[in-house]
Amino acid sequence: GISAAQELEYFGKKAEGKEAPKDSCLHGLVTALQVLGAVSSGRERRKFLAFAEDLLYFGSSDVLSSSPWPARRAEILTNLLVPLPAGDAQEPWRGFRGDSVKPAS
């Protein structure tokens, strides 16, 4: 397998050459960008999440919600659209924790 860092590096090299990467995984790229956003803060976080949202925007829906990938568009937007923290303050990652759906007894 290929790591998230390797996938992002490969995608970046292809994008620099203006060549559309045909063999990159959208879900993997967005998940990697969300993870990088979650461990960063401030403007750096916004750059990662804005890129992830740009990759998802063409579909205008959360293609991730029905996939096993851990990234979710709602979390990306929630963390992208909050105001920047004052100064160099670290900001928390705002996530969602859903309860499993259980069949009625």
Side-chain angles (χ1 to χ4, degrees), residues 6-59:
Q6 291 170 320
E7 178 68 20
L8 280 174
E9 181 180 2
Y10 173 73
F11 186 84
K13 286 180 181 176
K14 290 281 195 172
E16 284 174 2
K18 306 297 183 214
E19 179 182 333
K22 295 175 181 69
D23 52 355
S24 289
C25 171
L26 174 66
H27 295 84
L29 286 168
V30 171
T31 299
L33 289 164
Q34 180 175 327
V35 168
L36 290 170
V39 298
S40 60
S41 187
R43 294 189 189 285
E44 182 180 40
R45 174 179 284 181
R46 301 313 184 280
K47 288 178 188 176
F48 290 129
L49 298 180
F51 185 34
E53 174 58 15
D54 282 348
L55 289 172
L56 291 173
Y57 182 70
F58 72 89

Side-chain angles (χ1 to χ4, degrees), residues 27 30-35 49 52-53 56 61-80 93-98:
H27 295 84
V30 171
T31 299
L33 289 164
Q34 180 175 327
V35 168
L49 298 180
E53 174 58 15
L56 291 173
S61 64
D62 191 354
V63 296
L64 301 171
S65 64
S66 61
S67 78
W69 288 89
R72 294 289 174 259
R73 190 172 189 200
E75 284 190 23
I76 291 168
L77 289 173
T78 297
N79 288 280
L80 177 61
W93 180 258
R94 293 157 182 86
F96 300 97
R97 186 174 182 272

